[in-house]
Short mmCIF file of all heavy atoms in Angstrom, two decimals:
data_model
loop_
_atom_site.label_atom_id
_atom_site.label_comp_id
_atom_site.label_asym_id
_atom_site.label_seq_id
_atom_site.Cartn_x
_atom_site.Cartn_y
_atom_site.Cartn_z
N ASN G 16 -119.22 164.97 -93.94
CA ASN G 16 -120.60 164.96 -94.44
C ASN G 16 -121.28 163.60 -94.31
O ASN G 16 -122.47 163.54 -94.01
CB ASN G 16 -120.63 165.41 -95.91
CG ASN G 16 -120.16 166.84 -96.08
OD1 ASN G 16 -120.31 167.66 -95.18
ND2 ASN G 16 -119.58 167.15 -97.23
N TRP G 17 -120.54 162.54 -94.56
CA TRP G 17 -121.15 161.21 -94.46
C TRP G 17 -120.98 160.58 -93.08
O TRP G 17 -121.64 159.61 -92.77
CB TRP G 17 -120.55 160.29 -95.52
CG TRP G 17 -121.04 160.62 -96.92
CD1 TRP G 17 -122.09 161.42 -97.26
CD2 TRP G 17 -120.48 160.16 -98.15
NE1 TRP G 17 -122.23 161.48 -98.62
CE2 TRP G 17 -121.25 160.72 -99.19
CE3 TRP G 17 -119.41 159.33 -98.46
CZ2 TRP G 17 -120.98 160.46 -100.54
CZ3 TRP G 17 -119.13 159.08 -99.80
CH2 TRP G 17 -119.92 159.64 -100.82
N GLY G 18 -120.07 161.11 -92.27
CA GLY G 18 -119.90 160.62 -90.90
C GLY G 18 -119.31 159.23 -90.79
O GLY G 18 -119.64 158.48 -89.86
N VAL G 19 -118.39 158.87 -91.71
CA VAL G 19 -117.81 157.53 -91.65
C VAL G 19 -116.85 157.42 -90.46
O VAL G 19 -116.34 158.42 -89.96
CB VAL G 19 -117.07 157.17 -92.95
CG1 VAL G 19 -118.01 157.23 -94.14
CG2 VAL G 19 -115.86 158.08 -93.18
N ALA G 20 -116.64 156.18 -90.03
CA ALA G 20 -115.68 155.92 -88.96
C ALA G 20 -114.29 155.69 -89.50
O ALA G 20 -113.31 155.89 -88.78
CB ALA G 20 -116.11 154.68 -88.17
N ARG G 21 -114.20 155.28 -90.79
CA ARG G 21 -112.89 155.05 -91.38
C ARG G 21 -112.97 155.15 -92.89
O ARG G 21 -114.02 154.93 -93.49
CB ARG G 21 -112.29 153.70 -90.95
CG ARG G 21 -112.80 152.48 -91.65
CD ARG G 21 -112.12 151.19 -91.15
NE ARG G 21 -111.13 150.69 -92.10
CZ ARG G 21 -110.02 150.07 -91.76
NH1 ARG G 21 -109.70 149.89 -90.50
NH2 ARG G 21 -109.18 149.62 -92.67
N VAL G 22 -111.83 155.50 -93.47
CA VAL G 22 -111.63 155.46 -94.92
C VAL G 22 -110.53 154.45 -95.20
O VAL G 22 -109.48 154.48 -94.57
CB VAL G 22 -111.25 156.85 -95.48
CG1 VAL G 22 -110.78 156.72 -96.94
CG2 VAL G 22 -112.42 157.81 -95.39
N ASP G 23 -110.79 153.55 -96.14
CA ASP G 23 -109.82 152.53 -96.53
C ASP G 23 -109.08 152.96 -97.79
O ASP G 23 -109.65 153.62 -98.67
CB ASP G 23 -110.52 151.20 -96.84
CG ASP G 23 -111.32 150.66 -95.68
OD1 ASP G 23 -110.93 150.93 -94.53
OD2 ASP G 23 -112.31 149.95 -95.93
N LEU G 24 -107.84 152.53 -97.91
CA LEU G 24 -107.07 152.65 -99.14
C LEU G 24 -106.26 151.37 -99.29
O LEU G 24 -105.75 150.84 -98.29
CB LEU G 24 -106.11 153.85 -99.10
CG LEU G 24 -106.76 155.21 -98.80
CD1 LEU G 24 -106.46 155.62 -97.36
CD2 LEU G 24 -106.25 156.27 -99.77
N LYS G 25 -106.16 150.86 -100.50
CA LYS G 25 -105.33 149.67 -100.69
C LYS G 25 -104.67 149.71 -102.06
O LYS G 25 -105.12 150.42 -102.97
CB LYS G 25 -106.15 148.39 -100.54
CG LYS G 25 -107.21 148.10 -101.57
CD LYS G 25 -107.83 146.72 -101.32
CE LYS G 25 -108.85 146.35 -102.39
NZ LYS G 25 -110.13 147.07 -102.20
N THR G 26 -103.57 148.96 -102.19
CA THR G 26 -102.83 148.93 -103.43
C THR G 26 -102.06 147.62 -103.52
O THR G 26 -101.92 146.90 -102.52
CB THR G 26 -101.86 150.13 -103.52
OG1 THR G 26 -101.30 150.21 -104.82
CG2 THR G 26 -100.74 150.02 -102.49
N ASP G 27 -101.59 147.30 -104.71
CA ASP G 27 -100.71 146.14 -104.89
C ASP G 27 -99.51 146.30 -103.96
O ASP G 27 -98.87 147.35 -103.93
CB ASP G 27 -100.26 146.09 -106.35
CG ASP G 27 -99.59 144.78 -106.73
OD1 ASP G 27 -98.63 144.37 -106.02
OD2 ASP G 27 -99.99 144.19 -107.75
N ALA G 28 -99.23 145.26 -103.18
CA ALA G 28 -98.14 145.36 -102.19
C ALA G 28 -96.80 145.65 -102.85
O ALA G 28 -95.89 146.18 -102.20
CB ALA G 28 -98.07 144.07 -101.38
N ARG G 29 -96.65 145.33 -104.14
CA ARG G 29 -95.39 145.59 -104.86
C ARG G 29 -95.28 147.02 -105.36
O ARG G 29 -94.21 147.45 -105.80
CB ARG G 29 -95.28 144.64 -106.06
CG ARG G 29 -95.29 143.16 -105.69
CD ARG G 29 -95.49 142.30 -106.92
NE ARG G 29 -96.83 142.51 -107.50
CZ ARG G 29 -97.26 141.89 -108.61
NH1 ARG G 29 -96.46 141.04 -109.25
NH2 ARG G 29 -98.47 142.13 -109.07
N ASN G 30 -96.39 147.76 -105.29
CA ASN G 30 -96.43 149.10 -105.88
C ASN G 30 -95.88 150.13 -104.89
O ASN G 30 -96.64 150.80 -104.18
CB ASN G 30 -97.86 149.45 -106.29
CG ASN G 30 -97.93 150.67 -107.16
OD1 ASN G 30 -96.99 151.46 -107.23
ND2 ASN G 30 -99.06 150.85 -107.84
N LEU G 31 -94.56 150.25 -104.84
CA LEU G 31 -93.92 151.12 -103.86
C LEU G 31 -94.28 152.58 -104.10
O LEU G 31 -94.39 153.36 -103.14
CB LEU G 31 -92.41 150.92 -103.88
CG LEU G 31 -91.93 149.49 -103.57
CD1 LEU G 31 -90.41 149.44 -103.56
CD2 LEU G 31 -92.50 149.00 -102.25
N ARG G 32 -94.46 152.96 -105.35
CA ARG G 32 -94.84 154.35 -105.66
C ARG G 32 -96.20 154.67 -105.07
O ARG G 32 -96.40 155.72 -104.43
CB ARG G 32 -94.83 154.55 -107.17
CG ARG G 32 -95.18 155.97 -107.63
CD ARG G 32 -95.35 156.02 -109.14
NE ARG G 32 -95.67 157.36 -109.59
CZ ARG G 32 -94.85 158.13 -110.28
NH1 ARG G 32 -93.64 157.70 -110.58
NH2 ARG G 32 -95.23 159.33 -110.66
N SER G 33 -97.17 153.78 -105.28
CA SER G 33 -98.51 154.00 -104.75
C SER G 33 -98.51 153.97 -103.22
O SER G 33 -99.19 154.78 -102.57
CB SER G 33 -99.47 152.93 -105.29
OG SER G 33 -100.77 153.09 -104.76
N ARG G 34 -97.76 153.06 -102.64
CA ARG G 34 -97.71 152.98 -101.19
C ARG G 34 -97.12 154.25 -100.60
O ARG G 34 -97.61 154.76 -99.58
CB ARG G 34 -96.92 151.75 -100.76
CG ARG G 34 -97.62 150.45 -101.12
CD ARG G 34 -96.84 149.22 -100.71
NE ARG G 34 -96.74 149.10 -99.26
CZ ARG G 34 -96.31 148.00 -98.64
NH1 ARG G 34 -95.95 146.93 -99.35
NH2 ARG G 34 -96.24 147.96 -97.33
N ALA G 35 -96.09 154.79 -101.24
CA ALA G 35 -95.51 156.05 -100.76
C ALA G 35 -96.52 157.18 -100.87
O ALA G 35 -96.59 158.05 -99.98
CB ALA G 35 -94.24 156.37 -101.55
N ALA G 36 -97.31 157.19 -101.96
CA ALA G 36 -98.32 158.24 -102.13
C ALA G 36 -99.39 158.14 -101.05
O ALA G 36 -99.83 159.16 -100.50
CB ALA G 36 -98.95 158.13 -103.51
N ILE G 37 -99.81 156.92 -100.72
CA ILE G 37 -100.82 156.73 -99.68
C ILE G 37 -100.27 157.17 -98.32
O ILE G 37 -100.94 157.87 -97.55
CB ILE G 37 -101.29 155.27 -99.63
CG1 ILE G 37 -102.08 154.92 -100.90
CG2 ILE G 37 -102.15 155.02 -98.39
CD1 ILE G 37 -102.42 153.45 -101.03
N GLU G 38 -99.05 156.78 -98.03
CA GLU G 38 -98.43 157.20 -96.77
C GLU G 38 -98.25 158.71 -96.74
O GLU G 38 -98.36 159.34 -95.68
CB GLU G 38 -97.11 156.46 -96.59
CG GLU G 38 -97.31 154.97 -96.33
CD GLU G 38 -96.05 154.14 -96.52
OE1 GLU G 38 -94.97 154.74 -96.76
OE2 GLU G 38 -96.15 152.91 -96.43
N GLY G 39 -98.03 159.31 -97.92
CA GLY G 39 -97.86 160.76 -97.99
C GLY G 39 -99.12 161.53 -97.71
O GLY G 39 -99.06 162.71 -97.34
N VAL G 40 -100.30 160.88 -97.88
CA VAL G 40 -101.56 161.54 -97.54
C VAL G 40 -102.10 161.02 -96.22
O VAL G 40 -103.29 161.11 -95.93
CB VAL G 40 -102.61 161.38 -98.67
CG1 VAL G 40 -102.12 162.05 -99.94
CG2 VAL G 40 -102.97 159.92 -98.93
N ALA G 41 -101.20 160.47 -95.39
CA ALA G 41 -101.48 160.11 -93.99
C ALA G 41 -102.20 158.78 -93.82
O ALA G 41 -102.73 158.50 -92.75
CB ALA G 41 -102.26 161.22 -93.29
N GLY G 42 -102.21 157.92 -94.84
CA GLY G 42 -102.77 156.59 -94.66
C GLY G 42 -101.91 155.78 -93.70
O GLY G 42 -100.69 155.77 -93.80
N GLN G 43 -102.55 155.08 -92.76
CA GLN G 43 -101.85 154.27 -91.76
C GLN G 43 -101.80 152.82 -92.24
O GLN G 43 -102.84 152.20 -92.49
CB GLN G 43 -102.55 154.36 -90.40
CG GLN G 43 -102.62 155.77 -89.83
CD GLN G 43 -101.25 156.33 -89.56
OE1 GLN G 43 -100.45 155.73 -88.83
NE2 GLN G 43 -100.95 157.49 -90.13
N PHE G 44 -100.60 152.27 -92.34
CA PHE G 44 -100.41 150.91 -92.84
C PHE G 44 -100.94 149.90 -91.82
O PHE G 44 -100.62 149.97 -90.65
CB PHE G 44 -98.93 150.67 -93.11
CG PHE G 44 -98.60 149.28 -93.58
CD1 PHE G 44 -99.17 148.77 -94.74
CD2 PHE G 44 -97.73 148.48 -92.86
CE1 PHE G 44 -98.86 147.49 -95.19
CE2 PHE G 44 -97.41 147.21 -93.29
CZ PHE G 44 -97.98 146.71 -94.46
N GLU G 45 -101.76 148.96 -92.30
CA GLU G 45 -102.34 147.95 -91.43
C GLU G 45 -101.80 146.55 -91.69
O GLU G 45 -101.93 145.68 -90.83
CB GLU G 45 -103.86 147.94 -91.56
CG GLU G 45 -104.51 149.24 -91.10
CD GLU G 45 -106.03 149.17 -91.08
OE1 GLU G 45 -106.60 148.34 -91.81
OE2 GLU G 45 -106.62 149.95 -90.32
N GLY G 46 -101.25 146.31 -92.86
CA GLY G 46 -100.71 145.00 -93.15
C GLY G 46 -100.93 144.63 -94.61
O GLY G 46 -101.48 145.39 -95.40
N VAL G 47 -100.49 143.43 -94.96
CA VAL G 47 -100.64 142.90 -96.30
C VAL G 47 -101.54 141.67 -96.27
O VAL G 47 -101.29 140.74 -95.48
CB VAL G 47 -99.27 142.54 -96.91
CG1 VAL G 47 -99.44 141.83 -98.26
CG2 VAL G 47 -98.41 143.79 -97.08
N LEU G 48 -102.58 141.70 -97.08
CA LEU G 48 -103.46 140.56 -97.23
C LEU G 48 -103.03 139.78 -98.47
O LEU G 48 -103.03 140.31 -99.58
CB LEU G 48 -104.92 141.01 -97.36
CG LEU G 48 -105.47 141.77 -96.16
CD1 LEU G 48 -106.92 142.18 -96.40
CD2 LEU G 48 -105.38 140.93 -94.89
N ARG G 49 -102.65 138.53 -98.27
CA ARG G 49 -102.07 137.74 -99.34
C ARG G 49 -103.15 137.21 -100.29
O ARG G 49 -104.21 136.78 -99.85
CB ARG G 49 -101.25 136.59 -98.76
CG ARG G 49 -100.07 137.07 -97.91
CD ARG G 49 -99.34 135.91 -97.29
NE ARG G 49 -100.21 135.16 -96.38
CZ ARG G 49 -99.93 133.94 -95.91
NH1 ARG G 49 -98.80 133.34 -96.28
NH2 ARG G 49 -100.75 133.34 -95.09
N SER G 50 -102.84 137.26 -101.60
CA SER G 50 -103.77 136.79 -102.64
C SER G 50 -105.16 137.34 -102.39
O SER G 50 -106.16 136.61 -102.41
CB SER G 50 -103.79 135.26 -102.69
OG SER G 50 -102.54 134.76 -103.09
N TRP G 51 -105.23 138.66 -102.18
CA TRP G 51 -106.46 139.29 -101.71
C TRP G 51 -107.39 139.72 -102.83
O TRP G 51 -108.61 139.62 -102.72
CB TRP G 51 -106.10 140.49 -100.85
CG TRP G 51 -107.28 141.28 -100.37
CD1 TRP G 51 -107.65 142.54 -100.77
CD2 TRP G 51 -108.25 140.89 -99.41
NE1 TRP G 51 -108.77 142.96 -100.11
CE2 TRP G 51 -109.18 141.95 -99.26
CE3 TRP G 51 -108.44 139.74 -98.65
CZ2 TRP G 51 -110.26 141.90 -98.39
CZ3 TRP G 51 -109.53 139.69 -97.78
CH2 TRP G 51 -110.41 140.75 -97.66
N SER G 52 -106.83 140.22 -103.92
CA SER G 52 -107.71 140.74 -104.96
C SER G 52 -107.04 140.58 -106.33
O SER G 52 -105.88 140.19 -106.44
CB SER G 52 -108.04 142.22 -104.71
OG SER G 52 -106.86 143.00 -104.64
N ARG G 53 -107.79 140.90 -107.36
CA ARG G 53 -107.32 140.75 -108.73
C ARG G 53 -106.06 141.56 -108.98
O ARG G 53 -105.96 142.71 -108.56
CB ARG G 53 -108.43 141.20 -109.67
CG ARG G 53 -108.03 141.29 -111.13
CD ARG G 53 -109.17 141.82 -111.97
NE ARG G 53 -108.78 142.00 -113.36
CZ ARG G 53 -109.60 142.42 -114.32
NH1 ARG G 53 -110.86 142.71 -114.03
NH2 ARG G 53 -109.16 142.55 -115.56
N SER G 54 -105.12 140.97 -109.70
CA SER G 54 -103.94 141.71 -110.12
C SER G 54 -104.26 142.50 -111.38
O SER G 54 -104.89 142.00 -112.31
CB SER G 54 -102.78 140.77 -110.41
OG SER G 54 -101.68 141.50 -110.95
N TRP G 55 -103.81 143.77 -111.39
CA TRP G 55 -103.97 144.63 -112.56
C TRP G 55 -102.66 144.78 -113.31
O TRP G 55 -102.58 145.54 -114.29
CB TRP G 55 -104.48 146.01 -112.14
CG TRP G 55 -105.83 145.98 -111.51
CD1 TRP G 55 -106.12 146.05 -110.18
CD2 TRP G 55 -107.09 145.84 -112.19
NE1 TRP G 55 -107.48 145.98 -109.99
CE2 TRP G 55 -108.11 145.85 -111.20
CE3 TRP G 55 -107.46 145.73 -113.53
CZ2 TRP G 55 -109.45 145.75 -111.51
CZ3 TRP G 55 -108.81 145.62 -113.83
CH2 TRP G 55 -109.79 145.63 -112.83
N ALA G 56 -101.61 144.08 -112.89
CA ALA G 56 -100.32 144.20 -113.55
C ALA G 56 -100.37 143.55 -114.93
O ALA G 56 -101.00 142.51 -115.11
CB ALA G 56 -99.24 143.54 -112.70
N PRO G 57 -99.72 144.17 -115.92
CA PRO G 57 -99.70 143.59 -117.26
C PRO G 57 -99.18 142.16 -117.25
O PRO G 57 -98.21 141.83 -116.56
CB PRO G 57 -98.75 144.51 -118.03
CG PRO G 57 -98.81 145.81 -117.30
CD PRO G 57 -98.99 145.45 -115.86
N GLY G 58 -99.85 141.27 -117.99
CA GLY G 58 -99.45 139.88 -118.08
C GLY G 58 -99.91 139.03 -116.92
O GLY G 58 -99.56 137.84 -116.87
N GLU G 59 -100.69 139.59 -116.00
CA GLU G 59 -101.13 138.82 -114.83
C GLU G 59 -102.65 138.63 -114.81
O GLU G 59 -103.25 138.48 -113.74
CB GLU G 59 -100.65 139.49 -113.54
CG GLU G 59 -99.15 139.47 -113.38
CD GLU G 59 -98.66 139.96 -112.03
OE1 GLU G 59 -99.50 140.36 -111.19
OE2 GLU G 59 -97.44 139.95 -111.82
N ASP G 60 -103.28 138.63 -115.96
CA ASP G 60 -104.73 138.39 -116.05
C ASP G 60 -105.07 137.06 -115.39
O ASP G 60 -104.42 136.03 -115.63
CB ASP G 60 -105.19 138.37 -117.50
CG ASP G 60 -105.15 139.73 -118.15
OD1 ASP G 60 -104.94 140.72 -117.43
OD2 ASP G 60 -105.30 139.81 -119.39
N GLY G 61 -106.11 137.08 -114.56
CA GLY G 61 -106.55 135.87 -113.89
C GLY G 61 -105.78 135.51 -112.64
O GLY G 61 -106.11 134.53 -111.98
#
């Protein structure tokens, strides 16, 4: 409907459960961007 060229998905590189779920819905792994975005892990504010 929107005619996009790509859909992005990303997750914490340590989150093996989430990465497996993304790969399970056919997401293609492109790499790891270091210190890329805010951590949502408990105790890692900032």
Side-chain angles (χ1 to χ4, degrees):
N16 296 332
W17 287 346
V19 301
R21 79 179 256 147
V22 169
D23 301 330
L24 305 104
K25 67 175 183 284
T26 189
D27 192 308
R29 300 168 294 179
N30 192 343
L31 300 183
R32 181 188 181 110
S33 178
R34 293 179 66 168
I37 292 172
E38 291 164 5
V40 297
Q43 300 297 304
F44 178 59
E45 296 187 336
V47 173
L48 298 180
R49 298 177 298 165
S50 295
W51 176 250
S52 58
R53 172 183 176 178
S54 174
W55 296 102
E59 294 187 359
D60 290 350

